[in-house]
């Protein structure tokens, strides 16, 4: 926009705008340094006083009770339910990343819709990249490999099987904390609109044999109870 600005603003006005931007950048840099210092101070005080850190979720560990062969990549049933504080919509994870979301909470069991299910959809982002994208399960072409789809990816990002991009959860998803692995994006192609890309997400193979999961119960819900 250089020539557009040159035509509409005088040289002195452009210099003044540049100075204002420099002042803002300097102010933001100072604020960032202050925030980092305050964060370090809080962490040191918590350690000295043996105070627990601020936790947003409590993990309720549960064993997988059943998994139907005809719906292997759609849902599974775990051995804990409403009696253990589990509600519909709660996030479910394991050591390899995202498992899915609770869709039905019985008294002592719960049904979990898997991240590979075509009905599963959530906001996500790439590791070290803040811009949000949309993830949706895509089922499986075989009994071994489950996949998902990612859409609304900025056009400047690229991925391949040799250089995949890690897709992780976004705090915008609500029930999930930030940064939990969903899978690896192994290809990205430009959508017809020419603005965004879409691609394939390769989910961890360990998801097919998961035996134990953790349900994330928001601490705010526990406080209400």
């Amino acid at each position: 926009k250089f020539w557009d600005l040159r035509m509409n603003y005088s040289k002195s006005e452009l210099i003044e705008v540049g100075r204002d931007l420099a002042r803002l950048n300097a102010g933001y840099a100072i604020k960032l340094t202050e925030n980092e210092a305050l964060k370090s101070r809080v962490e040191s005080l918590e350690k000295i006083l043996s105070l627990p850190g601020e936790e947003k979720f409590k993990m309720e560990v549960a064993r997988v009770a059943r998994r139907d062969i005809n719906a292997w990549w759609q849902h599974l049933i775990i051995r804990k339910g409403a009696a253990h504080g589990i509600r519909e919509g709660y996030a479910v994870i394991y050591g390899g990343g995202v498992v899915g979301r609770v869709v039905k909470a019985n008294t002592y069991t719960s049904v979990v819709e898997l991240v590979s299910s075509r009905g599963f959809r959530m906001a996500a982002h790439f590791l070290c990249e803040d811009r949000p994208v949309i993830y949706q399960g895509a089922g499986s072409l075989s009994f071994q490999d489950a996949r998902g789809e990612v859409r609304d990816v900025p056009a400047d990002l690229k991925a391949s099987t040799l250089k995949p991009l890690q897709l992780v959860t976004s705090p915008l998803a609500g029930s999930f904390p930030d940064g939990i692995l969903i899978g690896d994006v192994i290809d990205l192609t430009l959508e017809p609109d020419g603005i965004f890309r879409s691609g394939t997400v390769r989910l961890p193979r360990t998801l097919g044999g998961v035996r134990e999961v953790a349900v994330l119960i928001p601490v705010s819900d526990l406080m209400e109870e």
Side-chain angles (χ1 to χ4, degrees), residues 168-180:
V168 298
T169 57
S170 168
L172 299 176
S175 56
F176 286 89
D178 186 33
I180 298 178

Side-chain angles (χ1 to χ4, degrees), residues 6 66 72 89 94 101 104 111 115-116 120 127-128 133 157 162 169 204 213:
R6 282 294 300 272
R66 191 169 78 246
W72 194 262
Y94 76 122
R101 188 184 288 116
K104 185 178 181 181
V111 180
V115 67
S116 51
F120 186 94
L127 193 65
C128 301
V133 297
L157 297 179
L162 296 177
T169 57
V213 301

Side-chain angles (χ1 to χ4, degrees), residues 7-179:
M7 291 176 65
N8 292 283
Y9 296 93
S10 66
K11 185 176 180 180
S12 59
E13 288 175 325
L14 290 175
I15 291 173
E16 188 61 32
V17 170
R19 287 173 180 168
D20 291 340
L21 288 175
R23 293 190 193 102
L24 285 173
N25 288 334
Y28 290 144
I30 293 171
K31 290 293 184 184
L32 184 61
T33 304
E34 289 177 350
N35 287 338
E36 290 296 329
L38 289 172
K39 183 179 177 181
S40 299
R41 182 173 175 79
V42 169
E43 290 176 352
S44 63
L45 289 173
E46 285 179 348
K47 188 178 295 184
I48 293 170
L49 300 174
S50 299
L51 294 175
E54 183 182 358
E55 296 181 358
K56 295 182 179 180
F57 297 94
K58 171 185 174 292
M59 288 195 296
E60 186 68 43
V61 178
R63 297 283 294 177
V64 175
R66 191 169 78 246
R67 196 167 182 175
D68 296 333
I69 193 169
N70 293 326
W72 194 262
W73 295 111
Q74 281 71 52
H75 61 261
L76 54 78
I77 298 174
I78 59 175
R79 297 186 182 213
K80 288 188 178 179
H84 304 89
I86 295 173
R87 300 180 186 175
E88 294 179 5
Y90 283 178
V92 184
I93 63 173
Y94 76 122
V98 175
V99 173
R101 188 184 288 116
V102 175
V103 292
K104 185 178 181 181
N106 302 313
T107 305
Y108 297 108
T109 62
S110 298
V111 180
V112 178
E113 183 179 32
L114 295 176
V115 67
S116 51
S117 171
R118 293 186 182 276
F120 186 94
R121 193 166 180 262
M122 68 179 295
H125 68 90
F126 292 103
L127 193 65
C128 301
E129 171 68 44
D130 292 334
R131 289 175 289 183
V133 297
I134 296 174
Y135 167 83
Q136 184 168 1
S140 174
L141 298 176
S142 69
F143 190 69
Q144 295 295 327
D145 297 319
R147 299 195 172 195
E149 299 173 350
V150 63
R151 299 196 302 274
D152 293 347
V153 179
D156 60 313
L157 297 179
K158 298 180 180 179
S160 66
T161 53
L162 296 177
K163 292 184 178 181
L165 295 176
Q166 280 194 332
L167 189 69
V168 298
T169 57
S170 168
L172 299 176
S175 56
F176 286 89
D178 186 33

Side-chain angles (χ1 to χ4, degrees), residues 159-221:
S160 66
T161 53
L162 296 177
K163 292 184 178 181
L165 295 176
Q166 280 194 332
L167 189 69
V168 298
T169 57
S170 168
L172 299 176
S175 56
F176 286 89
D178 186 33
I180 298 178
L181 178 67
I182 298 174
D184 294 327
V185 178
I186 55 177
D187 63 65
L188 284 172
T189 56
L190 200 63
E191 294 180 357
D193 59 15
I195 300 175
F196 297 106
R197 294 178 183 268
S198 59
T200 304
V201 182
R202 182 175 58 201
L203 301 176
R205 285 196 171 187
T206 50
L207 181 63
V210 63
R211 300 289 184 88
E212 195 172 63
V213 301
V215 182
L216 300 183
I217 302 176
V219 172
S220 57
D221 289 356

